[in-house]
Amino acid sequence: MATIGLDRLYYAPITEDINGEETYGVPVNMARAINADLTIELAEAQLFSDDGLSVVIKDFKSGTLVLGVEDLAISVVQVLTGAEVDDNGVLISASENVGQPVAMGFRAAKPNGIYRYFWFYRVQFGFPAANLQTKGDTITFQTPTITGTILRRNRLDDVGNHPWKAEVTQGDPGVSQSVIDDWYADVYEPVFAGGDGSGVVEP
């Protein structure tokens, strides 16, 4: 079913151990959302045999997430881009700045009043873009956009995969209300029967 809305845009900071495996911090409200555009790039391989295409493999490679927001607080820009605030409270962006990857979550409303929820497990953002325009006979709002690259997570899930997205629709079969209620309490962690959360698959 189509979606008609977008809100509750959150990010969760990531810390990494010596192996690069992620631990997620408490989700933080990022900004008031306007739009989110997602594109996915796949790595594709084709195998031909007996004069025909016999096998096609399409694996996730990366994605691009473009977020339009009402505004971005300086504290959010610091986290996402690595920019620094000087002693006079001025935000300074330098070519050497590198932001930390974060997990990104939001929800999209459906016409029937329920929501589809998302977490992207590892997103690396660049500097926000701005469109500025002088005021004329009519007022046109100019709002920032920020573009991130979606990557797979380094840490394995219970079945030995590297997840890049979690998605759930409120009220779907098998979806408990507790999953929806806790969606922004923590970054959602995949749960599989027999898994212990270690990311180690038993032989």
Side-chain angles (χ1 to χ4, degrees):
M1 184 182 292
T3 59
I4 60 171
L6 175 70
D7 69 352
R8 301 207 67 189
L9 186 62
Y10 278 70
Y11 74 88
I14 290 175
T15 56
E16 301 177 14
D17 64 15
I18 59 173
N19 298 315
E21 296 190 352
E22 301 87 350
T23 299
Y24 299 105
V26 176
V28 178
N29 185 247
M30 176 177 167
R32 294 176 64 87
I34 295 176
N35 64 280
D37 296 322
L38 171 66
T39 56
I40 300 300
E41 183 177 355
L42 300 176
E44 180 175 334
Q46 298 180 344
L47 175 66
F48 288 83
S49 61
D50 285 345
D51 295 331
L53 180 63
S54 59
V55 179
V56 177
I57 296 176
K58 295 177 182 283
D59 285 343
F60 172 80
K61 185 176 180 182
S62 66
T64 300
L65 182 63
V66 181
L67 299 174
V69 296
E70 184 178 297
D71 199 6
L72 284 171
I74 287 179
S75 59
V76 174
V77 176
Q78 285 183 271
V79 172
L80 299 186
T81 70
E84 298 181 359
V85 174
D86 73 3
D87 294 342
N88 293 316
V90 178
L91 182 68
I92 306 298
S93 299
S95 60
E96 293 81 5
N97 293 152
V98 177
Q100 66 181 72
V102 296
M104 284 299 311
F106 51 83
R107 68 178 187 175
K110 293 182 154 192
N112 58 1
I114 64 175
Y115 289 88
R116 179 175 295 155
Y117 292 79
F118 299 85
W119 272 113
F120 294 91
Y121 285 110
R122 188 180 180 95
V123 184
Q124 184 77 53
F125 282 98
F127 286 93
N131 297 308
L132 307 177
Q133 177 178 315
T134 190
K135 184 169 66 174
D137 293 336
T138 60
I139 297 174
T140 302
F141 288 104
Q142 305 296 324
T143 56
T145 60
I146 188 165
T147 301
T149 299
I150 301 168
L151 305 167
R152 72 176 196 174
R153 189 173 78 177
N154 294 324
R155 181 161 56 90
L156 298 173
D157 61 20
D158 286 352
V159 292
N161 293 326
H162 297 273
W164 61 273
K165 180 180 72 167
E167 178 180 350
V168 66
T169 299
Q170 184 179 8
D172 271 2
V175 177
S176 69
Q177 187 58 41
S178 64
V179 169
I180 302 301
D181 292 341
D182 295 339
W183 196 253
Y184 292 103
D186 298 287
V187 175
Y188 180 78
E189 186 63 34
V191 177
F192 295 99
D196 62 4
S198 66
V200 177
V201 182
E202 295 296 332

